[in-house]
Amino acid sequence: MKPSGDAKPAYIAVATRRFAMDGFYGTSLSHLAKDSGVSKQALLHFFKTKEALYEATLTALAERMMQDLIACHHAEPAQWLSDYFMILCQNACADPTDLRLVMHALLDSDHNARKWPLKPYLDKLLVIIAHTNGGHKMSTAKRINWLLQMNGMINYHIISHTAMLGMYGEQVLADTFNALRSSISAQARLLE
Amino acid sequence: MKPSGDAKPAYIAVATRRFAMDGFYGTSLSHLAKDSGVSKQALLHFFKTKEALYEATLTALAERMMQDLIACHHAEPAQWLSDYFMILCQNACADPTDLRLVMHALLDSDHNARKWPLKPYLDKLLVIIAHTNGGHKMSTAKRINWLLQMNGMINYHIISHTAMLGMYGEQVLADTFNALRSSISAQARLLE
DNA sequence: ATGCTAACTTACCAATCGGTAAGTGGTCAA
DNA sequence: TTGACCACTTACCGATTGGTAAGTTAGCAT
């Protein structure tokens, strides 16, 4: 075959979906191989261990999120954040894969002290927050708190979606999603 | 031995800690057995399958959370909620086990359509919300949204703790926790 | 043509997984 | 005393896990 790393991103894409659905321990190399249409050892050829493949997946996730943030740049920082999180919410509702992966990674981050690939992304967000009218007079802790609150709100909504759907039905949940959007606006308005 | 189910809660307690840390797939019966100081088959004697043990763990969790909610009853519903979530936050910071278990269960709830044991607890919370001055004129969707926002805020803070600690250090994180407490107050004040 | 390397495959491995079968030993009612 | 029953144990099972070893096949520079 060609000496190109063309297949690698495809394997990472498959792994992203699986790891996001079932977590690190719930996903096996054979599953990933079957999904990718290759043998298990094809994956081990590119990624020396399952752990390495997982880290590559998280790194790709971090780059994607950073790009999404940059993509909706706006001169007014408060508007930038408002736009970004609204779009993030919209995308995550259509496809929760990435946010699920974030949550799984957070829950796993206890017992393996892996370097957290999302740090540049978070730092970028904190810088933008610091440039807003409301944010520049906040302490670092309060900026982090604002961020955790925004992310927590959105992520929790998304990963609760299946459970809430089963409990309270489709119609109520659609309205809840609208309520979430206005909560995002309200949270963003705190920085104006 | 005695024909008593005395050991069962102890096994569930061990399972709670393990499942909360590593999730369903990351936890094996042999690990649970070793932690409990008995053989793997002792567990299978009480709980027919690993899945059954997991469900028992979640049921116990649901009862515990309901009890905690009832325990801090207050005649004024808005104050009740404010007190409850403040205490929940305090406890979860000291021992994140229960909230981690909730998050794991939420992430798992996609592909096995298990009945969600936390529904009575959530319903109780929604009733209390409906009795507040601010909550009784809300739609069901808005009440759910308020709840998801409050829970999301707290839970996300807690499970991010390890990662944030590694990224931003101890001092900043302690301040962030204080900021979370005032955010909880602010969120509770929306119902007054 | 030849040798090198990248991208795989088949074959295999020990370890561990959840779970079954068949006891063992103690307690208690009859 | 007996026998049922409960809380467990040892022994074992086939399936699957992550990972190794040793090819095989194809493109490409020399």
Side-chain angles (χ1 to χ4, degrees):
Chain A
M1 310 290 177
K2 293 167 192 171
S4 67
D6 281 4
K8 222 165 160 177
Y11 297 150
I12 289 179
V14 168
T16 299
R17 242 168 292 144
R18 274 283 188 175
F19 281 135
M21 277 298 288
D22 307 336
F24 180 76
Y25 295 112
T27 303
S28 75
L29 286 175
S30 13
H31 290 150
L32 295 174
K34 194 185 289 178
D35 285 3
S36 303
V38 292
S39 73
K40 184 178 59 171
Q41 285 65 18
L43 302 178
L44 288 170
H45 171 69
F46 288 100
F47 313 95
K48 302 208 168 180
T49 64
K50 182 188 177 187
E51 193 95 18
L53 172 53
Y54 187 54
E55 285 200 10
T57 300
L58 292 185
T59 303
L61 169 74
E63 285 170 11
R64 217 175 313 137
M65 297 198 76
M66 182 65 102
Q67 278 174 2
D68 288 351
L69 174 57
I70 302 293
C72 59
H73 174 275
H74 193 287
E76 184 60 40
Q79 190 62 42
W80 186 358
L81 291 171
S82 178
D83 289 356
Y84 170 65
F85 281 109
M86 203 61 95
I87 291 173
L88 175 70
C89 175
Q90 210 73 264
N91 291 345
C93 192
D95 178 12
T97 302
D98 277 0
L99 288 196
R100 289 181 62 92
L101 192 54
V102 169
M103 299 306 281
H104 266 125
L106 274 175
L107 282 168
D108 286 352
S109 68
D110 267 31
H111 38 119
N112 43 15
R114 83 173 105 251
K115 52 177 181 167
W116 187 246
L118 278 178
K119 186 164 190 327
Y121 162 75
L122 292 177
D123 285 341
K124 179 71 183 173
L125 277 169
L126 286 173
V127 167
I128 303 174
I129 294 170
H131 280 77
T132 62
N133 289 330
H136 92 271
K137 56 187 98 167
M138 286 182 182
S139 64
T140 305
K142 288 207 169 179
R143 287 177 199 145
I144 292 177
N145 182 63
W146 184 92
L147 195 50
L148 285 178
Q149 207 170 322
M150 183 66 104
N151 274 328
M153 188 161 74
I154 298 174
N155 292 14
Y156 194 75
H157 258 267
I158 297 301
I159 70 159
S160 304
H161 187 266
T162 306
M164 301 305 280
L165 197 66
M167 287 191 240
Y168 297 108
E170 206 168 326
Q171 183 52 52
V172 172
L173 214 61
D175 293 345
T176 306
F177 179 63
N178 289 331
L180 169 62
R181 291 181 31 160
S182 44
S183 292
I184 292 173
S185 291
Q187 179 74 4
R189 227 170 293 126
L190 291 177
L191 294 181
E192 280 174 1
Chain B
M1 308 290 176
K2 293 169 192 171
S4 67
D6 281 4
K8 221 166 159 177
Y11 297 149
I12 290 179
V14 168
T16 299
R17 241 168 294 145
R18 272 284 188 175
F19 282 135
M21 277 297 287
D22 307 336
F24 181 76
Y25 295 112
T27 304
S28 74
L29 287 175
S30 13
H31 290 150
L32 295 174
K34 194 184 288 178
D35 285 3
S36 304
V38 292
S39 73
K40 184 179 58 171
Q41 285 65 19
L43 302 177
L44 288 170
H45 170 69
F46 288 101
F47 313 95
K48 303 207 167 180
T49 65
K50 182 189 177 186
E51 192 95 18
L53 172 52
Y54 187 54
E55 285 199 11
T57 300
L58 292 185
T59 303
L61 168 74
E63 286 170 9
R64 217 176 312 138
M65 297 198 77
M66 181 66 100
Q67 279 176 1
D68 288 351
L69 174 57
I70 302 292
C72 60
H73 174 275
H74 193 288
E76 184 61 39
Q79 191 61 44
W80 186 358
L81 291 170
S82 179
D83 289 356
Y84 170 66
F85 281 109
M86 202 61 94
I87 291 172
L88 175 71
C89 174
Q90 209 73 264
N91 291 345
C93 191
D95 178 13
T97 302
D98 277 0
L99 289 196
R100 289 181 64 91
L101 191 54
V102 169
M103 298 306 281
H104 266 124
L106 275 174
L107 282 168
D108 286 352
S109 68
D110 268 30
H111 39 119
N112 44 14
R114 83 173 105 250
K115 52 180 180 165
W116 188 245
L118 279 178
K119 186 163 190 329
Y121 162 75
L122 292 177
D123 284 340
K124 179 71 184 172
L125 276 169
L126 287 173
V127 167
I128 303 175
I129 293 170
H131 280 77
T132 62
N133 290 331
H136 91 271
K137 55 187 99 166
M138 286 181 183
S139 64
T140 305
K142 288 207 169 178
R143 288 178 199 143
I144 292 178
N145 181 63
W146 183 91
L147 195 50
L148 286 178
Q149 207 170 321
M150 183 66 104
N151 274 328
M153 189 162 74
I154 298 174
N155 292 14
Y156 195 75
H157 257 268
I158 297 302
I159 70 159
S160 305
H161 187 266
T162 306
M164 301 304 280
L165 198 66
M167 287 191 241
Y168 297 107
E170 207 169 325
Q171 183 51 50
V172 171
L173 214 61
D175 293 345
T176 306
F177 179 63
N178 290 331
L180 169 61
R181 291 179 32 157
S182 45
S183 292
I184 292 173
S185 291
Q187 178 74 5
R189 227 170 292 127
L190 292 177
L191 295 181
E192 280 174 2

